Amino acid sequence: MRTMLIAEFDTDKANEAIKNETMAQVMGGAIERLKPEAAFFGAQDGARTGYLVFDLDEPAEIPDVCEPLFQELGAKITMMPVMTFDDVKAGLQRYASG
């Protein structure tokens, strides 16, 4: 299932990870594991934030996805299923035909 992960990083833990040069390793590991179709980074609610869209095959993958971000960067994580516009159109067509 196409899933969006939003990870807001704890400022102190992220600062430390930048200083000790592990931030790129942690984020690179997430990118390597998830192979996202899109990855963006910015600020949300005053915190460094990553936005990744990837395919979650099964719920049992959630700890593997989230734990490194929790443990290394003190991340607050939100995960949600998402759709492309083509998915929306297909879903609406299914709904309309009923």
Side-chain angles (χ1 to χ4, degrees):
M1 173 180 295
R2 182 178 285 115
T3 302
M4 178 180 280
L5 178 144
I6 303 169
E8 291 183 34
F9 309 125
D10 175 79
T11 299
D12 292 334
K13 284 196 170 194
N15 285 346
E16 186 61 31
I18 290 168
K19 287 177 188 172
N20 67 26
E21 299 181 3
T22 60
M23 179 74 126
Q25 292 173 339
V26 173
M27 293 309 302
I31 298 292
E32 188 175 305
R33 277 191 317 282
L34 300 177
K35 297 176 181 37
E37 68 181 67
F40 299 95
F41 302 90
Q44 178 172 304
D45 296 326
R48 294 176 184 96
T49 305
Y51 308 85
L52 305 175
V53 177
F54 68 100
D55 188 34
L56 182 68
D57 292 326
E58 59 180 310
E61 294 175 349
I62 293 172
D64 187 48
V65 170
C66 296
E67 284 303 322
L69 301 172
F70 287 143
Q71 292 180 24
E72 299 294 325
L73 300 173
K76 292 181 190 177
I77 294 177
T78 301
M79 293 176 68
M80 68 189 92
V82 293
M83 298 180 283
T84 65
F85 184 58
D86 288 340
D87 296 332
V88 172
K89 289 189 300 186
L92 291 174
Q93 188 172 33
R94 258 188 241 155
Y95 174 76
S97 65

